[in-house]
Amino acid sequence: MARLIVWAWAFLVSLILILYVGAPVWFFNDASSTIAGMPPMLFWFVLLPFVVPGLIAALYFYDQRAMRKLARRREKGPNR
């Protein structure tokens, strides 16, 4: 269970890195159109600071729930 949580956090870090570095190059490297009056890449970098804390919070709540479940399992002991 603990390994799963560590892998989930590592995955989230790599996902955030891809969102900041890869997604703008692949999807928003077009200066001809506008989104909400901004170039697409600027819109993306304005949007990300609002999206990333939500992703971190979702994983944090999952982490807390999994750790409580793990603590209950440890309290019961290995023989029960």
Side-chain angles (χ1 to χ4, degrees):
M1 178 72 73
R3 284 187 183 150
L4 176 68
I5 294 169
V6 170
W7 278 108
W9 280 105
F11 175 75
L12 181 65
V13 168
S14 62
L15 176 68
I16 291 171
L17 183 66
I18 289 170
L19 286 175
Y20 270 104
V21 177
V25 173
W26 295 321
F27 301 112
F28 298 106
N29 201 8
D30 179 24
S32 63
S33 62
T34 61
I35 302 172
M38 295 181 272
M41 195 174 291
L42 177 62
F43 175 76
W44 183 247
F45 285 115
V46 169
L47 182 68
L48 270 183
F50 296 104
V51 172
V52 169
L55 293 173
I56 293 171
L59 184 57
Y60 172 77
F61 288 128
Y62 170 75
D63 184 357
Q64 291 298 310
R65 188 183 66 172
M67 285 308 218
R68 271 183 290 201
K69 190 185 295 185
L70 186 62
R72 274 188 249 128
R73 238 191 260 169
R74 286 184 181 167
E75 286 175 359
K76 290 180 180 178
N79 296 330
R80 294 183 191 165

